[in-house]
Amino acid sequence: MKILVTGGMGYIGSHTVVELIAKGHECVILDNLYNSSINVLNRIEEISGVRPEFVNADITDENALRNVFENHQFDAVIHFAGLKAVGESVTIPLKYYDNNVGGSIKLYQLMEEYNVNNLVFSSSATVYGSSFEMPLKEAYGRGTTTNPYGTSKLMNEMIIEDYCHARKELSAVVLRYFNPVGAHKSGLIGERPNGIPNNLMPYISDVAIGKRERLNVFGDDYDTKDGTGVRDYIHVVDLAKAHVLAIEYAAKNKGMETINIGTGNGYSVLEIVEAYKKASGKDVPYVIAPRRAGDVATCYADPNKAKELLGFEAQYGIEDMCLDSYNFIIKNPNGIE
Ligand code: NAD
Ligand code: UFG
């Protein structure tokens, strides 16, 4: 298939482009490089032997988007482009809604105009909110979000649902990611956020390479195995492969499906610290800090629907997730330059 990959220069998008190319698909990447580097394109080429076409454009720019649809006949769109910093979204909500919701609507309108009927959308476990029992099942529906980022994902899900009801030729797969971590085995692509990392694994990586002194563990008094927060970490290469299966599923089935992409296993913060120390051979000093506002104690997926509908099962365990994160950070301590 010929696939438009919005946000394809980013962390999850770049890994997905590599897996799509490996399966013989043709990718056109559209990204405004807001949170990625142009050099990701060289890295994708180095890994896959193919240099995908890249369009430097913003999904909120209708004319730029229209040009892309005018110049290509796409079979499908995988829509990653979005802003994703939870804390920042509380400070600048309108930017998040404009980018993540406004930009998506423009994209969906052009898909309709140019008769592109297959969509995969990046959603998040955050749409479950905090009131459902674990493991989280798609059948629970959606809960209450606690920040504009989460609400922007929830709104996209609702828009896609209404749109699928109205347009019977549309196929959409909404993937609810749990906690993507790790990097490609080559160490050529991965995640190195700008500034102080918000998420656990990039922060631990910084501590392991001596860039930061110690990890702050946000709370050790949760009702979990060791009192620290438990999450369902998934290797980004597994997540990327799930996208290939999802877009191939969309091409064969009409309507909308919402699917969790996780492993079904929950690891605590301290278990991740131990696994990282073992994989890297480095010390990861930490202190117990107060709980972070908005955090839930435990969050992990029921991964059965992904297995039944897509035939997807995560292959990589926590050792590979830590080892590959470390391999990427030692090769790219300042990110992809
Ligand atoms: P990322 O920031 O690495 O990638 C997103 C890419 O989109 C970046 O390259 C950025 O430059 C681009 N982009 C942003 N706004 C754009 C716009 N208006 N026009 C064009 N390009 C734009 O993030 P990621 O971790 O790869 O996440 C990809 C998607 O998955 C996002 O929608 C994110 O919200 C979602 N998601 C991520 C996680 C996670 O933990 N990483 C979890 C759940 C969902
Ligand atoms: N944590 C620490 N110290 C840190 C960073 C995180 O102890 O410096 C802890 C958190 O308290 C939590 C766990 O590590 O218990 C994981 O935290 P992350 O920030 O890595 O991930 P979250 O589960 O909080 O967030 C992820 C995505 C969000 C999404 C959210 C809800 O990054 O985009 O899941 O689905 F909104």
Side-chain angles (χ1 to χ4, degrees), residues 196-208 212-220 222 228-229 233 268-270 273 284-292 295:
I196 303 170
N198 294 311
N199 298 118
L200 180 64
M201 195 69 97
Y203 203 106
I204 292 180
S205 295
D206 274 8
V207 175
R212 289 176 211 284
E213 217 175 312
R214 64 179 77 85
L215 171 73
N216 293 304
V217 175
F218 297 143
D220 68 347
Y222 286 108
T228 65
Y233 297 91
S268 74
V269 175
L270 295 182
V273 169
V284 179
Y286 66 85
V287 288
I288 304 298
R291 289 182 179 194
R292 183 171 65 177
D295 272 357

Side-chain angles (χ1 to χ4, degrees), residues 164-225:
C164 279
H165 276 303
R167 248 188 98 209
K168 298 295 177 215
E169 59 274 42
L170 195 70
S171 309
V173 179
V174 167
L175 298 180
R176 289 184 181 159
Y177 311 158
F178 281 69
N179 289 56
V181 295
H184 193 264
K185 288 277 171 206
S186 62
L188 287 166
I189 51 175
E191 184 179 35
R192 166 68 219 137
N194 296 327
I196 303 170
N198 294 311
N199 298 118
L200 180 64
M201 195 69 97
Y203 203 106
I204 292 180
S205 295
D206 274 8
V207 175
I209 61 165
K211 198 164 184 165
R212 289 176 211 284
E213 217 175 312
R214 64 179 77 85
L215 171 73
N216 293 304
V217 175
F218 297 143
D220 68 347
D221 56 354
Y222 286 108
D223 184 15
T224 60
K225 43 190 144 186

Side-chain angles (χ1 to χ4, degrees), residues 109-182:
Q109 283 170 332
L110 283 158
M111 286 178 66
E112 177 167 1
E113 200 176 319
Y114 287 85
N115 206 26
V116 181
N117 294 323
N118 301 307
L119 171 70
V120 171
F121 174 71
S122 303
S123 191
S124 162
T126 197
V127 302
Y128 284 114
S130 56
S131 51
F132 297 126
E133 266 178 41
M134 298 300 141
L136 293 166
K137 297 178 199 300
E138 297 85 347
Y140 290 163
R142 303 179 193 102
T144 308
T145 49
T146 53
N147 56 74
Y149 165 74
T151 309
S152 78
K153 292 294 172 192
L154 190 129
M155 288 165 88
N156 261 279
E157 288 200 1
M158 294 170 76
I159 290 165
I160 293 167
E161 192 172 307
D162 288 344
Y163 187 36
C164 279
H165 276 303
R167 248 188 98 209
K168 298 295 177 215
E169 59 274 42
L170 195 70
S171 309
V173 179
V174 167
L175 298 180
R176 289 184 181 159
Y177 311 158
F178 281 69
N179 289 56
V181 295

Side-chain angles (χ1 to χ4, degrees), residues 22-304:
K23 282 275 156 30
H25 297 292
E26 183 186 350
C27 298
V28 175
I29 297 175
L30 182 145
D31 199 302
N32 64 359
L33 301 179
Y34 178 84
N35 196 34
S36 48
S37 156
I38 185 66
N39 290 328
V40 169
L41 208 55
N42 299 329
R43 306 287 179 94
I44 291 173
E45 184 178 11
E46 211 173 322
I47 296 169
S48 65
V50 173
R51 190 176 184 84
E53 184 172 333
F54 168 62
V55 182
N56 186 344
D58 195 301
I59 54 163
T60 62
D61 178 347
E62 189 178 333
N63 288 333
L65 265 187
R66 182 177 296 285
N67 260 333
V68 180
F69 279 88
E70 200 54 55
N71 291 334
H72 300 275
Q73 180 54 57
F74 296 114
D75 300 298
V77 174
I78 304 184
H79 179 28
F80 293 104
L83 303 175
K84 62 167 185 175
V86 172
E88 185 186 65
S89 78
V90 177
T91 322
I92 46 169
L94 297 185
K95 184 160 180 181
Y96 271 69
Y97 289 123
D98 182 39
N99 199 78
N100 293 6
V101 182
S104 295
I105 292 174
K106 289 205 174 83
L107 177 69
Y108 305 150
Q109 283 170 332
L110 283 158
M111 286 178 66
E112 177 167 1
E113 200 176 319
Y114 287 85
N115 206 26
V116 181
N117 294 323
N118 301 307
L119 171 70
V120 171
F121 174 71
S122 303
S123 191
S124 162
T126 197
V127 302
Y128 284 114
S130 56
S131 51
F132 297 126
E133 266 178 41
M134 298 300 141
L136 293 166
K137 297 178 199 300
E138 297 85 347
Y140 290 163
R142 303 179 193 102
T144 308
T145 49
T146 53
N147 56 74
Y149 165 74
T151 309
S152 78
K153 292 294 172 192
L154 190 129
M155 288 165 88
N156 261 279
E157 288 200 1
M158 294 170 76
I159 290 165
I160 293 167
E161 192 172 307
D162 288 344
Y163 187 36
C164 279
H165 276 303
R167 248 188 98 209
K168 298 295 177 215
E169 59 274 42
L170 195 70
S171 309
V173 179
V174 167
L175 298 180
R176 289 184 181 159
Y177 311 158
F178 281 69
N179 289 56
V181 295
H184 193 264
K185 288 277 171 206
S186 62
L188 287 166
I189 51 175
E191 184 179 35
R192 166 68 219 137
N194 296 327
I196 303 170
N198 294 311
N199 298 118
L200 180 64
M201 195 69 97
Y203 203 106
I204 292 180
S205 295
D206 274 8
V207 175
I209 61 165
K211 198 164 184 165
R212 289 176 211 284
E213 217 175 312
R214 64 179 77 85
L215 171 73
N216 293 304
V217 175
F218 297 143
D220 68 347
D221 56 354
Y222 286 108
D223 184 15
T224 60
K225 43 190 144 186
D226 58 18
T228 65
V230 166
R231 296 291 183 276
D232 185 340
Y233 297 91
I234 176 146
H235 197 293
V236 66
V237 172
D238 277 327
L239 179 57
K241 288 178 177 165
H243 286 79
V244 180
L245 294 169
I247 202 68
E248 289 172 349
Y249 178 90
K252 292 195 202 105
N253 299 275
K254 296 290 164 220
M256 175 179 174
E257 289 292 351
T258 301
I259 305 177
N260 289 337
I261 303 294
T263 65
N265 303 313
Y267 288 95
S268 74
V269 175
L270 295 182
E271 284 176 327
I272 297 293
V273 169
E274 278 315 307
Y276 204 101
K277 279 163 69 173
K278 204 167 158 204
S280 64
K282 297 285 176 189
D283 195 17
V284 179
Y286 66 85
V287 288
I288 304 298
R291 289 182 179 194
R292 183 171 65 177
D295 272 357
V296 294
T298 303
C299 177
Y300 59 91
D302 179 335
N304 283 316

